[in-house]
Amino acid sequence: MTAEDFRWSFHEFIMTPQIEAQRTRSILADQVDKVTVISERVVEIRFKQVLFSNLDTALTMYALPKHFYSKFAPAEINKATGLLLGSGPFKLERVDPENQWAPGQPIELVRNDQYWGPKPPLDRIRFRDITDELARLTAYRNNEADMITPAATQFVSLKNDAAFANANQMLSTVTMRSARGGIIWNCGERLGKPTPFTDKRVRRAMTMLLDREKMIRDIWRGVGQVAKGFMNPNFAGSDPTINPWPYDPAAAKALLKEAGWEDRDGNGVLENAGGQEFVFEFTFFTGGELAQRIATFVQDAMKDAGIRVILRGVDWSVGDPIRKQRDFDAMIMSWGANAPESDPKQIFHSDSIKDQGDNFGQWNSPGADKAIDALRREIDFDKRMQHWREFDRVMHDEQPYTWIRLAPETRIIKPTIGNARQYPKGLDYWEFFRSPTALPTKN
């Protein structure tokens, strides 16, 4: 890895419009001005503006090996599934451009003996993608896996099974990476037509029609807590004065009427002034019992309020094009974090609506944009947290998402795997080792 690799990765890979790197480009385009090679091992990064995240960006920008990736045209890179070459503690066992890894196949990682840092204890890690929750647990019981992410219902049942719990490591902790799951409302147009959720009063009503405490009790067997917003409540930028919107069907119906939706013909379904019924499509991913139960719960709750919901179950593999094309009315979504404080522009700023950016719900909020722009430019930590809290208040008011559940990270791990510790940032797989005498880690 050289300084030229670093320069090339930014200027000729990430910033090339023909390469589908919008997720990264949306953040770096208005942040980094130029990367200059000083010597073989030294680069200079010149920033366009003073942002709190500049140092983190400098330390985490992608550095791709130019000699490998420069051989491929943008179209080849965009459709690639297994062109993964880097300098981390593990590497793909086989990188063959003519016979690449394909989704659904196991991912084989082997220790990178040229890694610059401490070598990981394990010489190999194998990941399997088993979307069906029952099949995943069955594979674990059959000793076909050393660690799984269980469904909440499975975790509760097995935690209460003394024989199983004592013979396995049962980890459950709210960490930086804990997912905030909920429903994303398409606040803009779908296929050229506005959805019912362009009005924030409608979105707030959707939230208040859902008994989220009951959802957590019945669907997740009490694992987790009602999420009040996008941020982890332990984050200093989370406004402590905000509480989750209550379950209040009467208040929700009043909001819907204020927004122009009421049962005008007495058929039990809400209509707008033009006589159009309130009907929307709810997209969820198949392959697990929980998603179907969430979808059914939403459908039943909305029916009681006079709203018809059409369920649309799709395979996870088509989720990305659906999001990029904004081809949904409402969809189950979950967000986590890979840093204690991440730049929110990528997901929530109106600039990230264009070019198939990650503002999938097309939330165009001047208040959110103002708070995001302010916090990005504030270096002082305490002052920046005040801007974060303003952003939290805007999101709470406008409800582009109905945040349902803050989920702990749950894992079931064999007792022979050591160093399975949940840090505030989550698990660190690179520390794992295997030993017949490894002691279970109690969290």
Side-chain angles (χ1 to χ4, degrees), residues 207-213 244-250 297 301 304:
T207 298
M208 299 177 77
L209 286 172
L210 292 175
D211 188 343
R212 290 173 286 166
E213 291 184 353
W245 287 105
Y247 170 58
D248 192 339
F297 191 102
D304 291 341

Side-chain angles (χ1 to χ4, degrees), residues 41-262:
R41 301 292 179 185
V42 179
V43 295
E44 176 186 270
I45 302 173
R46 184 176 296 275
F47 293 94
K48 293 181 178 179
Q49 54 185 320
V50 177
L51 299 177
F52 84 91
S53 55
N54 281 356
L55 180 59
D56 284 344
T57 295
L59 297 175
T60 60
M61 279 176 61
Y62 294 107
L64 304 174
K66 176 182 176 180
H67 75 274
F68 179 75
Y69 285 100
S70 62
K71 297 184 295 185
F72 305 101
E76 294 176 297
I77 291 171
N78 292 339
K79 68 179 183 180
T81 55
L83 295 181
L84 302 176
L85 192 66
S87 60
F90 284 88
K91 61 182 181 180
L92 277 178
E93 183 176 37
R94 178 177 52 83
V95 180
D96 182 354
E98 302 301 322
N99 185 22
Q100 297 181 41
W101 170 85
Q105 296 178 351
I107 299 175
E108 297 276 356
L109 300 181
V110 296
R111 183 168 54 216
N112 181 6
D113 290 328
Q114 292 180 301
Y115 179 53
W116 51 269
K119 306 299 186 293
L122 294 176
D123 62 4
R124 179 180 300 267
I125 297 180
R126 185 170 183 260
F127 295 90
R128 291 178 60 195
D129 181 21
I130 305 177
T131 57
D132 183 84
E133 296 152 358
L134 180 58
R136 192 158 60 237
L137 179 58
T138 299
Y140 181 84
R141 287 182 177 275
N142 292 338
N143 293 317
E144 297 171 13
D146 295 295
M147 178 176 74
I148 62 168
T149 302
T153 51
Q154 293 172 335
F155 188 84
V156 171
S157 295
L158 294 171
K159 184 86 171 178
N160 292 332
D161 181 341
F164 185 93
N166 290 333
N168 295 273
Q169 300 183 69
M170 309 285 292
L171 308 185
S172 178
T173 308
V174 172
T175 72
M176 177 187 78
R177 300 179 186 275
S178 289
R180 277 79 75 192
I183 301 167
I184 178 173
W185 308 105
N186 190 338
C187 308
E189 293 186 347
R190 178 187 183 188
L191 303 178
K193 296 182 180 180
T195 74
F197 309 116
T198 56
D199 191 320
K200 73 175 185 180
R201 294 169 295 184
V202 174
R203 300 194 297 267
R204 189 187 298 176
M206 297 298 102
T207 298
M208 299 177 77
L209 286 172
L210 292 175
D211 188 343
R212 290 173 286 166
E213 291 184 353
K214 179 176 173 60
M215 293 178 75
I216 291 173
R217 287 196 310 270
D218 293 355
I219 297 175
W220 289 281
R221 294 189 62 179
V223 177
Q225 63 191 69
V226 174
K228 71 181 184 69
F230 166 70
M231 299 177 206
N232 190 310
N234 296 324
F235 175 49
S238 175
D239 190 333
T241 67
I242 292 176
N243 294 311
W245 287 105
Y247 170 58
D248 192 339
K253 290 176 182 178
L255 281 170
L256 289 169
K257 185 174 182 178
E258 183 182 323
W261 294 99
E262 55 183 311

